[in-house]
Amino acid sequence: MKGSPPVLGSAPTTEGTADGVFKEVMGAGGGEMAMGRAADREQRQFPGTAFDEEKILNLVSLEKDVDGFHPINMGNLSMRGREPLFVPCTPKGCLELLLRSGVEIVGKKAVVIGRSNIVGLPIALLLQRHHATVTIVHACTKNPERITCEADIVVTAAGVPSLIRSSWLKPGAVVIDVGTCPVEDPSAEYGYRLVGDVCYEEPLSIASAVTPVPGGVGPMTIAMLLCNTLDSAKRLYGFT
Amino acid sequence: MKGSPPVLGSAPTTEGTADGVFKEVMGAGGGEMAMGRAADREQRQFPGTAFDEEKILNLVSLEKDVDGFHPINMGNLSMRGREPLFVPCTPKGCLELLLRSGVEIVGKKAVVIGRSNIVGLPIALLLQRHHATVTIVHACTKNPERITCEADIVVTAAGVPSLIRSSWLKPGAVVIDVGTCPVEDPSAEYGYRLVGDVCYEEPLSIASAVTPVPGGVGPMTIAMLLCNTLDSAKRLYGFT
């Protein structure tokens, strides 16, 4: 990377308001962050509903949308024959886990639990790009366990502790657990511990692989964010 | 509508080349069609692979993308909490058929056969928006009939005549047939007739409703194109 350009990090804006975010994203020079080379990546964590997520995302430069949440990136991810500039980090991490573990995806039945813009939808689109037959299960789905128990690959992002038990799974299924929920645990250092959607010990006896929480998808998300940031910088500085 | 603005129709460009299309879309004034009020809608039929579909679609003004194929419209269709300016016409027509026929969608199992950008993908996204549990079946799916026979709603856009038989369907299923294939028929006026994916007579005994081909989805597509064009003009002239 040439020089040492500043990176617009993900720390909450000092003003803590939507206007503050607009101001910071647009920069003093009027859109400098969005248009110029002042940063390699732009990433905003949305702390609450007080923020107009759509308005903020639309301000993010497509070339620096390392989270991959810009509607053009999502559109290009969903459309066949197109390539998004960035794939959202957590879904990309899930796919990387499957690919690097040698899990066959083509022609396999995959079920994604949850249909959020940041996990459920993009992981479903990614699995479909890899020619899986994908079903998205959500809050309105009746008897979801009857659908998951036929899947070769289950990606769960429900945020419901211990939702997935052995009875939900087909023998040999591969389970990617994206759920992360804090549950009280007086014996833990901070009085709580993080658990996933999978009742971890139980499905281990039936699934061929299950990712742990913490330590499974989480580190992959961070790795993919770094990967997207590097890609962004390489494109920006002509190192592609 | 104020005045009588010209409509950029869907007839193939006179030059018949990608460059010709760019020229026509961009206009003599450099992007006039894309940026100005010279047309209420912009629609391009893509006659073959000689055209760079992505390049042409990216030139179409988002506000006049009555086909709904612009990646921003597709991105906004796929993302929860967002609304595309236009929904692609055929999928919109399929949904309209279901809604106007009083078919319950929320919580129902829907299977979409085919994953094209213009039908399969957007109809799956639309059904999911209406809270169905959606599975997309495609060329890599093994034993697709085992998936379709559990569906309450089947939308088929495979383009394979007589693919869907009774054994593929659950009793009472609703079937939307988007397939259109010309098959030889010496008794027909032009020596061929159009057939859908559904072996029409057979599933009639098991399904609760099946759309005919021709005369089912086709006219709905045209109606929805007019509907999108009207919406476009109303927005353009401030009649919303």
Side-chain angles (χ1 to χ4, degrees), chain A residues 54 58 69 71-72 74-76 78-80 82 107 115 117 121 128 131-136 138 140-141, chain B residues 54 57-58 69 71-72 74-76 78-80 82 107 115 117 121 128 131-136 138 140-141:
Chain A
E54 184 170 344
N58 288 349
F69 297 152
I72 291 189
M74 291 297 276
N76 284 332
S78 67
M79 293 168 83
R80 292 189 81 190
R82 288 190 171 236
R115 51 176 167 167
N117 289 340
L121 171 74
Q128 191 166 278
H131 310 297
T133 301
V134 184
T135 304
I136 298 185
H138 48 76
C140 298
T141 303
Chain B
E54 184 170 344
L57 278 181
N58 288 348
F69 297 152
I72 292 189
M74 291 297 275
N76 284 332
S78 67
M79 293 168 83
R80 292 189 80 190
R82 289 191 171 237
R115 51 176 168 168
N117 289 340
L121 171 74
Q128 191 166 279
H131 310 298
T133 301
V134 184
T135 305
I136 298 185
H138 48 77
C140 298
T141 302

Side-chain angles (χ1 to χ4, degrees), chain B residues 21-106:
Chain B
V21 174
F22 298 147
K23 207 170 148 189
E24 192 178 334
V25 171
M26 294 305 285
E32 184 194 350
M33 299 308 276
M35 304 302 293
R37 287 195 168 193
D40 290 334
R41 68 182 171 97
E42 290 170 6
Q43 189 197 20
R44 289 278 125 227
Q45 301 290 3
F46 294 103
T49 51
F51 288 77
D52 185 338
E53 190 176 314
E54 184 170 344
K55 200 170 173 185
I56 294 172
L57 278 181
N58 288 348
L59 285 176
V60 172
S61 162
L62 186 64
E63 291 76 19
K64 298 175 187 173
D65 173 36
V66 290
D67 269 336
F69 297 152
H70 192 290
I72 292 189
N73 271 326
M74 291 297 275
N76 284 332
L77 179 64
S78 67
M79 293 168 83
R80 292 189 80 190
R82 289 191 171 237
E83 290 301 327
L85 282 177
F86 300 101
V87 172
C89 306
T90 301
K92 189 174 178 175
C94 294
L95 190 76
E96 199 72 16
L97 275 170
L98 293 172
L99 295 175
R100 294 213 183 191
S101 306
V103 175
E104 204 182 341
I105 303 176
V106 179

Side-chain angles (χ1 to χ4, degrees), chain A residues 138-208:
Chain A
H138 48 76
C140 298
T141 303
K142 292 169 191 159
N143 305 314
E145 68 278 15
R146 287 196 198 160
I147 299 171
T148 55
C149 74
E150 291 188 354
D152 304 294
I153 299 165
V154 175
V155 181
T156 178
V160 179
S162 300
L163 176 72
I164 312 295
R165 296 184 169 269
S166 297
S167 58
W168 283 53
L169 299 173
K170 173 179 164 178
V174 172
V175 185
I176 306 282
D177 190 352
V178 191
T180 312
C181 236
V183 293
E184 276 188 34
D185 183 353
S187 69
E189 192 180 349
Y190 298 105
Y192 72 91
R193 62 189 168 87
L194 294 176
V195 297
D197 291 349
V198 178
C199 181
Y200 192 64
E201 293 75 16
E202 203 183 305
L204 275 180
S205 60
I206 191 166
S208 66

